[in-house]
Amino acid sequence: GYNSYMSLPIHVDSYSGFKVNERPREFLLDEEIYEIAAVLDQWYEPLATYFKVETTDGCVYLLRYNEQMDEWTLQSGHLPR
């Protein structure tokens, strides 16, 4: 898995689909809303689901959803696409 140097709690709005975390729509960080244009990649680990997302301003972020805790964190920001 990703042992990441950062892990910021964020608030994520997702489209309700088959699962609660089906597709993140936007996330809130430091009072700023980042709108998600596309999910570029998605993978599962025993404790969490990861989403590599691109925001409408063209930046790429890695989001992690912990299903057990029902908690989203931002694992890294401004990744190469």
Side-chain angles (χ1 to χ4, degrees):
Y2 276 65
N3 281 340
S4 136
Y5 54 94
M6 68 181 265
S7 184
L8 297 171
I10 51 172
H11 177 76
V12 172
D13 269 338
S14 50
Y15 292 113
S16 51
F18 175 61
K19 291 167 77 173
V20 177
N21 60 342
E22 188 67 17
R23 163 143 150 46
R25 197 164 50 111
E26 60 187 32
F27 64 92
L28 185 66
L29 177 67
D30 296 332
E31 303 298 312
E32 195 132 341
I33 291 177
Y34 295 80
E35 222 177 309
I36 294 167
V39 175
L40 304 177
D41 199 4
Q42 177 178 349
W43 63 94
Y44 299 92
E45 287 190 358
L47 293 174
T49 305
Y50 289 84
F51 294 89
K52 187 179 180 184
V53 301
E54 185 177 5
T55 53
T56 47
D57 59 4
C59 296
V60 176
Y61 298 90
L62 182 62
L63 311 182
R64 179 182 190 269
Y65 177 68
N66 181 325
E67 220 158 319
Q68 221 172 5
M69 311 276 290
D70 189 26
E71 181 182 80
W72 287 89
T73 48
L74 178 66
Q75 293 301 113
S76 72
H78 295 283
L79 294 165
R81 198 169 191 284

